[in-house]
Amino acid sequence: WPQAESADELHDALGWLGLLTAQEVQRQPAWAPLLDELMRDKRVTRVDPADGADNAGFIVAAQRLPEFTAVHPGARVLPPIAVPVEFAKTWSREDALVEIVRGRLEGLGPTTAAELAASIAAPVASIDAALLALEGEGFVMRGSFTPQAGAEWCERRLLARITRYTVNR
């Protein structure tokens, strides 16, 4: 999980992690002023794919916004921000989901398709398809990594690091 201590570090983390859910922001209270700064600078925004519920949505960096609008075309984006020109490209929904899931897996550790779907506000079937594409690339591994969790997915380099830490302990 990212250890951001400045607005720039948090912005960098959002660049690879893809999004922060409201729950993830609440677990990192020191990030609130950093996110406020990033929002004032229009480097991040809140994407609300739901019907305006206060607890829905997530924080996204400007450069990742085209991926999220491909997945959630009717989403509210507040505050409205411009996507940097070098990142303004048209994504298919499927390709965007693969990249969003890739980013999430780089920071989460072992997780299930249902947990990923909930954090991205996407159907589990769509997340399953993205996970299978990432498995085909060799990016992600499937298994049972935590007790009683069932089928889980983990980015392979992160899984190797977790394994090394466990063995060394």
Side-chain angles (χ1 to χ4, degrees):
W1 192 249
Q3 300 296 316
E5 296 179 12
S6 72
D8 287 336
E9 288 179 359
L10 185 52
H11 185 258
D12 287 345
L14 265 169
W16 57 264
L17 190 57
L19 68 96
L20 288 173
T21 66
Q23 295 83 7
E24 291 164 350
V25 171
Q26 287 174 352
R27 286 195 304 255
Q28 303 287 336
W31 287 2
L34 304 178
L35 287 170
D36 289 343
E37 178 182 338
L38 291 169
M39 282 199 183
R40 275 192 312 275
D41 293 344
K42 298 194 182 281
R43 295 171 67 193
V44 303
T45 190
R46 179 185 167 94
V47 174
D48 186 358
D51 56 6
D54 288 337
N55 61 352
F58 28 81
I59 305 296
V60 176
Q63 67 266 29
R64 301 291 301 263
L65 190 55
E67 296 164 42
F68 286 89
T69 56
V71 173
H72 301 291
R76 288 187 324 159
V77 177
L78 293 171
I81 59 174
V83 175
V85 174
E86 62 270 24
F87 296 100
K89 99 174 213 184
T90 302
W91 289 85
S92 72
R93 185 174 193 283
E94 295 76 19
D95 289 345
L97 269 173
V98 167
E99 292 311 309
I100 292 168
V101 169
R102 181 189 312 275
R104 296 297 287 162
L105 288 169
E106 288 187 90
L108 290 178
T111 190
T112 66
E115 291 167 337
L116 286 166
S119 72
I120 299 168
V124 174
S126 297
I127 299 303
D128 283 336
L131 288 165
L132 290 173
L134 291 168
E135 185 180 43
E137 291 178 13
F139 179 81
V140 65
M141 296 186 75
R142 179 183 0 188
S144 295
F145 306 114
T146 55
Q148 291 133 10
E152 293 176 293
W153 299 84
C154 191
E155 192 266 334
R156 50 178 268 180
R157 286 181 299 202
L158 184 55
L159 183 60
R161 193 167 59 206
I162 291 168
T163 302
R164 275 194 311 277
Y165 289 155
T166 303
V167 169
N168 288 340
R169 222 182 313 145

